[in-house]
Amino acid sequence: MIKALGYFIEIIKGSLITTRHFMVNMWFHTLKLFRIKTKRKGAVTIQYPEEKRDIASRHRSLHRLLKREDGKPRCVVCMLCVTVCPSECIYVEAAEDPDPEVQKVPSTFIIDLSRCCFCGFCVEACPEDAIRMDTGQIEFAEYSRDKLIYDLEKLTG
Amino acid sequence: MSDWIIILIKIICALVWFLVIALYLTWAERKESAVIQDRIGANRANIWKFRVIGLFQPFADAIKMIFKEDFTPSFSRKFLHNLAPFVSFFFVAITISAIPFGDVLRIGGREIKLQIVDFNVSLLFVLAMLSLGIYGIILAGWSSNNRYTLIGGMRGAAQLISYEVALGLSLIGLILVYPSLKLSAIVHFQGELLWGWLPKWGVFLQPLGLLIFFFAALAETKRVPFDLPEGENEIVGFFTEYSGLKWGLFMFTDFMEVLIVSCLLTTLFFGGWQVPWLYADGFHFPWGGEWLLPHGIVVAFQVLAFNLKVFFFCWLQILIRWTYPRFRYDQVMDLGWKLLVPLSLVNIAGTAILLSLIG
């Protein structure tokens, strides 16, 4: 009986906590309705498509291929990214470049984003700093898988 | 003839009120739980981009449930399986007929009671119908022919039957104080004053009875602190084999039970449609002031007061549902049989002794 009474007191305390949360949050929601004190929010929710969080500068987002000054991709088809990729989602084919300093350029450079796990190993491995994951773009969901296969044009553009 | 029309209008009004409020309780539960947990809650359902803080959400839910496949397992007992949700829905929906929404309304020399039927044993009727709702659960658990649903159904039956005892006994003290089983008469009694200023509400005359009734009624609604028949994370409950609209009917019945429990709490313990010191001709304050009001406004005040009290108790029940974790099964039985039933017996004895001393 005494034990039950102790439980009862704790039960009341618990309900007071939730009541306090309700009252405080409702108070600020109501104030916001009348355009008073709009800085203090009644909820911690970020309403995603309308509001967005800032992405950290080191965040690994969609890949991009960097270009030289003359507009050709920096990639020299060393195949290091292809080798290191744990999900095996990079496919590169080489073509000959007339410039003897460069020798090789990619004729196809495909990243299959439906497989990519965004580990960033390709960026780490690249000796030419040709691939980076700093576009800040994180919304590229598609309705079909073949739209997730990004080719050279999409990655450089 | 016109009597029939009046009764028909009353039935339609009460049922629409009941169903619409129960529908919006689903919305209220989502929103209130969100506000308690510092979230925002469902606010995306819209009609032509009009969101109105998610007020269309219940309709979106209903449309979703209507268009889902209504699957009946091949191993179930088809007839009983289809019957069960309607049984539990019907017995809750019918209780609204005994709840008084207000006093008499006089229109064109005709007196209309704001209650569908005002019969002598309406309190017993409400309790009986709420107990019959158990059949829906047992039938659902049994006819699904699945062990877990059967466990859920049996748990539901055991829990509801044992709390039925405490529920009934807690009201005997009330019946001793207000000597009537007629809900409208009980509300009328609560309009009188104690010591010239305190309204004779059940909460002041039967505080222990209120406490026991409230706990037992919470157990009757089968919601979270007492949701053993459902038990989302262990047995998934008596409606495991239901889908689509029939599952929705079970869910909806839960919310209707919340509403009917709020109505009962209001009617029995918080003066029903009574506003303190409001009489048929207006306010007569105990400190001598008067504020006379026309008949229509008095009735509007009464209906409004009833609604506000009911909404408050709905709010309280949702708060309780989102605050406490579930009891273990033996704890539920302990609370019922070892605490609430003895306390309600003490309440009856104490009330009887006090009443006989006062005379």
Side-chain angles (χ1 to χ4, degrees), chain A residues 11 15 18 22 25 44 47, chain B residues 35 38 40 43-44 315 323-324:
Chain A
I11 279 173
S15 73
T18 41
F22 182 81
N25 289 335
V44 294
Q47 304 243 0
Chain B
V35 173
D38 303 347
I40 285 178
N43 65 350
R44 296 275 153 175
W315 174 84
T323 303
Y324 304 122

Side-chain angles (χ1 to χ4, degrees), chain A residues 1-50:
Chain A
M1 198 69 176
I2 302 287
K3 212 174 160 191
L5 206 68
Y7 284 144
F8 196 70
I9 289 165
E10 290 301 318
I11 279 173
I12 301 282
K13 273 188 190 169
S15 73
L16 286 180
I17 288 174
T18 41
T19 314
R20 196 188 69 218
H21 269 259
F22 182 81
M23 291 298 170
V24 169
N25 289 335
M26 263 333 264
W27 172 246
F28 283 108
H29 279 309
T30 319
L31 281 187
K32 210 178 167 190
L33 211 64
F34 295 110
R35 304 272 187 281
I36 314 166
K37 277 200 174 182
T38 42
K39 258 187 196 169
R40 170 69 161 80
K41 289 163 90 181
V44 294
T45 312
I46 295 171
Q47 304 243 0
Y48 170 59
E50 292 94 33

Side-chain angles (χ1 to χ4, degrees), chain B residues 6-146:
Chain B
I6 285 171
I7 285 193
L8 205 66
I9 290 171
K10 280 200 284 191
I11 289 174
I12 290 171
C13 285
L15 213 58
V16 165
W17 180 87
F18 194 36
L19 296 180
V20 167
I21 303 287
L23 193 66
Y24 271 98
L25 270 184
T26 61
W27 172 83
E29 166 146 312
R30 289 175 156 202
K31 277 298 197 188
E32 190 183 330
S33 65
V35 173
I36 286 171
Q37 298 169 354
D38 303 347
R39 294 184 285 114
I40 285 178
N43 65 350
R44 296 275 153 175
N46 61 64
I47 294 180
W48 296 300
K49 304 285 178 194
F50 285 111
R51 283 184 179 171
V52 211
I53 54 171
L55 277 178
F56 300 122
Q57 191 66 40
F59 297 105
D61 286 344
I63 291 167
K64 180 199 121 183
M65 269 184 298
I66 289 166
F67 284 104
K68 276 182 102 166
E69 187 189 359
D70 186 11
F71 183 75
T72 312
S74 58
F75 48 79
S76 68
R77 285 152 205 261
K78 296 275 182 316
F79 176 68
L80 292 180
H81 190 268
N82 289 331
L83 184 69
F86 296 102
V87 167
S88 67
F89 179 83
F90 173 76
F91 284 123
V92 177
I94 201 166
T95 48
I96 197 66
S97 62
I99 303 289
F101 286 86
D103 205 4
V104 281
L105 175 69
R106 282 193 295 276
I107 295 181
R110 189 182 283 278
E111 293 206 338
I112 304 167
K113 278 185 177 164
L114 295 181
Q115 185 181 12
I116 295 178
V117 273
D118 184 20
F119 47 98
N120 283 330
V121 287
S122 36
L123 181 57
L124 284 186
F125 170 77
V126 170
L127 290 183
M129 288 303 134
L130 282 181
S131 330
L132 279 174
I134 298 171
Y135 277 105
I137 297 166
I138 301 178
L139 278 182
W142 174 255
S143 64
S144 296
N145 229 342
N146 170 335

Side-chain angles (χ1 to χ4, degrees), chain B residues 138-354:
Chain B
I138 301 178
L139 278 182
W142 174 255
S143 64
S144 296
N145 229 342
N146 170 335
R147 285 157 197 82
Y148 288 107
T149 60
L150 185 59
I151 292 172
M154 295 321 284
R155 274 186 181 186
Q159 178 184 326
L160 293 195
I161 286 169
S162 50
Y163 275 84
E164 206 69 50
V165 177
L167 193 76
L169 287 178
S170 70
L171 289 179
I172 290 180
L174 193 87
I175 297 163
L176 288 174
V177 177
Y178 312 118
S180 176
L181 287 172
K182 215 174 170 179
L183 284 176
S184 59
I186 288 177
V187 176
H188 269 291
F189 278 119
Q190 295 186 59
E192 293 168 13
L193 295 181
L194 203 63
W195 307 311
W197 60 275
L198 188 69
K200 271 190 177 178
W201 288 5
V203 59
F204 303 121
L205 301 183
Q206 285 284 311
L208 188 59
L210 166 68
L211 217 61
I212 298 161
F213 179 82
F214 189 46
F215 276 118
L218 275 182
E220 289 284 302
T221 58
K222 313 186 287 293
R223 275 152 62 82
V224 153
F226 300 97
D227 72 331
L228 292 149
E230 200 179 324
E232 276 167 354
N233 50 9
E234 36 179 288
I235 57 169
V236 198
F238 58 91
F239 47 61
T240 308
E241 302 290 351
Y242 284 89
S243 61
L245 206 54
K246 281 189 270 180
W247 176 85
L249 217 48
F250 274 123
M251 218 52 212
F252 196 56
T253 309
D254 264 16
F255 285 100
M256 284 163 73
E257 273 178 352
V258 168
L259 192 54
I260 206 76
V261 164
S262 304
C263 287
L264 278 181
L265 271 168
T266 310
T267 309
L268 296 173
F269 291 97
F270 287 85
W273 41 260
Q274 300 276 6
V275 186
W277 314 306
L278 177 68
Y279 298 95
D281 57 344
F283 284 101
H284 293 274
F285 296 110
W287 52 86
E290 265 187 6
W291 184 24
L292 298 181
L293 293 166
H295 174 69
I297 294 184
V298 170
V299 173
F301 259 120
Q302 290 170 345
V303 175
L304 192 69
F306 178 80
N307 275 288
L308 284 180
K309 289 171 192 175
V310 167
F311 293 159
F312 173 76
F313 286 111
C314 290
W315 174 84
L316 189 65
Q317 285 185 65
I318 294 174
L319 184 91
I320 286 170
R321 187 241 176 279
W322 286 95
T323 303
Y324 304 122
R326 182 163 65 241
F327 283 107
R328 214 169 52 215
Y329 188 64
D330 59 316
Q331 289 170 333
V332 166
M333 286 294 138
D334 274 6
L335 183 72
W337 288 107
K338 290 187 188 165
L339 194 70
L340 292 186
V341 171
L343 269 183
S344 56
L345 290 173
V346 167
N347 185 39
I348 294 168
T351 312
I353 291 168
L354 266 180

Side-chain angles (χ1 to χ4, degrees), chain A:
Chain A
M1 198 69 176
I2 302 287
K3 212 174 160 191
L5 206 68
Y7 284 144
F8 196 70
I9 289 165
E10 290 301 318
I11 279 173
I12 301 282
K13 273 188 190 169
S15 73
L16 286 180
I17 288 174
T18 41
T19 314
R20 196 188 69 218
H21 269 259
F22 182 81
M23 291 298 170
V24 169
N25 289 335
M26 263 333 264
W27 172 246
F28 283 108
H29 279 309
T30 319
L31 281 187
K32 210 178 167 190
L33 211 64
F34 295 110
R35 304 272 187 281
I36 314 166
K37 277 200 174 182
T38 42
K39 258 187 196 169
R40 170 69 161 80
K41 289 163 90 181
V44 294
T45 312
I46 295 171
Q47 304 243 0
Y48 170 59
E50 292 94 33
E51 295 174 58
K52 283 173 187 171
R53 282 185 78 163
D54 295 331
I55 291 173
S57 55
R58 63 176 193 178
H59 184 274
R60 295 195 293 267
S61 44
L62 185 66
H63 316 66
R64 71 185 172 114
L65 288 180
L66 278 77
K67 291 178 198 164
R68 296 170 203 278
E69 289 83 31
D70 58 351
K72 279 191 246 165
R74 271 197 207 174
C75 176
V76 292
V77 201
C78 64
M79 306 299 266
L80 279 175
C81 54
V82 181
T83 316
V84 80
C85 183
S87 4
E88 300 180 353
C89 66
I90 307 179
Y91 177 77
V92 187
E93 255 176 36
E96 204 172 329
D97 192 278
D99 188 352
E101 290 283 309
V102 183
Q103 291 190 357
K104 274 160 106 184
V105 285
S107 61
T108 50
F109 194 106
I110 288 170
I111 297 181
D112 185 355
L113 284 181
S114 64
R115 294 180 62 121
C116 177
C117 64
F118 295 90
C119 60
F121 284 1
C122 47
V123 180
E124 299 290 325
C126 187
E128 295 288 318
D129 193 17
I131 185 165
R132 283 191 197 168
M133 298 176 78
D134 59 353
T135 48
Q137 209 179 322
I138 52 170
E139 296 156 331
F140 33 83
E142 294 283 355
Y143 283 103
S144 74
R145 282 183 187 166
D146 45 306
K147 280 184 186 157
L148 281 170
I149 295 172
Y150 278 47
D151 58 7
L152 194 60
E153 275 170 46
K154 259 183 165 176
L155 288 167
T156 45

